[in-house]
Amino acid sequence: MEAKLNEFYSLRFHGFDGHVAVFEVLDIYEKNFEKVLRELGNLGYWAALKKRDGRVVLFVFPAGKIPPRQPPLAALALPRAYNTLDVLRWLLLGAQLHCHP
């Protein structure tokens, strides 16, 4: 996964916060984030870019799988989907750059 990320960004690894790998983005080689998401998705990961304290931070975490044709509330019963929703909520509510190496 890191080799693939290095094709798109110059990164400084800050550690893990649970199952989330946290990187500071030093330079961006690929401007199309959809392409980055597609490539990471093929490897079984999702990602989010956030701006924190004037820095761009990349969060990468294992992709959860939601079966097709499931109503959204039914997906909450699936442990991986629920964990993924927790990660997304964590990102949206203001994850800090302080991580565990």
Side-chain angles (χ1 to χ4, degrees):
M1 181 250 317
E2 283 191 63
K4 181 56 75 177
L5 289 174
N6 288 326
E7 293 177 20
F8 303 124
Y9 304 107
S10 172
L11 300 168
R12 179 180 299 133
F13 180 65
H14 278 271
F16 286 95
D17 194 339
H19 294 291
V20 180
V22 182
F23 301 88
E24 180 180 356
V25 178
L26 305 174
D27 197 10
I28 299 173
Y29 310 133
E30 175 57 60
K31 304 291 184 198
N32 183 350
F33 190 59
E34 292 296 322
K35 179 178 179 181
V36 175
L37 291 177
R38 190 171 41 255
E39 293 287 329
L40 289 176
N42 290 338
L43 297 174
Y45 293 92
W46 288 343
L49 282 172
K50 301 282 282 183
K51 194 158 192 173
R52 295 290 154 93
D53 302 322
R55 298 180 284 185
V56 177
V57 181
L58 177 69
F59 301 93
V60 181
F61 48 95
K65 297 186 182 194
I66 300 174
R69 295 190 218 129
Q70 287 287 349
L73 290 178
L76 292 176
L78 299 170
R80 284 197 87 173
Y82 183 74
N83 290 339
T84 301
L85 292 174
D86 279 346
V87 169
L88 292 173
R89 182 171 50 247
W90 175 82
L91 288 170
L92 293 172
L93 294 178
Q96 299 300 312
L97 191 55
H98 310 293
C99 305
H100 311 298

